[in-house]
Amino acid sequence: MTTTHRKGHLTAAHDQAVTHHYTVHYPDHAPRESDPHYVDFEAYRRRTRKTARCAFAVRVGDDSMCGGTLELHHSHVEFALANEVDLELLERDYPGVSNTGEVGAWIESAQNLMWLCTAHHRGHGGVHTASAADYEAEHYIRGLIE
């Protein structure tokens, strides 16, 4: 990429430490293993594990950016948040998920699950660690987050 700039008006490359602090309000929820839909999660894992690839690597077409083992990630709604899902909002993006009985099954379904390597799941630049904007930018800028 070529950048047109006036002489002396280019910010030099630099590193910047970023820290995010906030509180997530998890509603009351049962342990995952006692959830009746946990079997769906496990069935999906068994059915797809042998051919699974990190969704990040699939998107960028490069497995060399990955590290660690593959793990399943709830890509839209975590299991622990199921009891507070606004069904009207969820229904807009996922028609047919309109009652509390359906939410649990949907949370453990392929529509809400993706395989990620440990680095892209829980690592420094992982989806659970980096801000959404930085995680998205990582798809296009190699070495953005260390």
Side-chain angles (χ1 to χ4, degrees):
M1 179 172 109
T2 304
T3 304
T4 305
H5 64 281
R6 293 177 290 165
K7 188 174 180 179
H9 291 275
L10 183 66
T11 303
H14 60 282
D15 294 335
Q16 180 174 329
V18 177
T19 303
H20 299 275
H21 292 279
Y22 54 89
T23 302
V24 177
H25 302 283
Y26 289 95
D28 290 340
H29 61 280
R32 217 155 150 237
E33 293 76 15
S34 66
D35 177 59
H37 303 291
Y38 188 63
V39 296
D40 299 330
F41 176 88
E42 288 300 327
Y44 180 84
R45 177 194 309 274
R46 283 190 305 277
R47 187 173 63 253
T48 61
R49 177 70 177 101
K50 287 182 181 177
T51 59
R53 285 180 62 208
C54 174
F56 189 103
V58 170
R59 182 171 170 192
V60 301
D62 185 359
D63 289 293
S64 72
M65 300 170 75
C66 293
T69 59
L70 289 175
E71 303 172 341
L72 270 176
H73 168 66
H74 290 93
S75 52
H76 305 290
V77 178
E78 290 288 341
F79 166 79
L81 302 174
N83 292 337
E84 291 296 323
V85 169
D86 183 320
L87 295 175
E88 184 178 320
L89 295 175
L90 187 64
E91 179 77 21
R92 288 179 188 179
D93 289 334
Y94 300 96
V97 184
S98 58
N99 70 49
T100 53
E102 294 167 345
V103 171
W106 176 84
I107 284 176
E108 302 294 16
S109 76
Q111 282 189 305
N112 190 47
L113 295 171
M114 71 167 60
W115 286 99
L116 290 172
C117 68
T118 305
H120 290 117
H121 192 207
R122 297 177 290 111
H124 293 299
V127 70
H128 279 289
T129 310
S131 71
D134 293 338
Y135 181 76
E136 180 66 17
E138 257 189 317
H139 288 84
Y140 311 106
I141 303 167
R142 292 179 186 270
L144 178 66
I145 301 172
E146 291 182 5

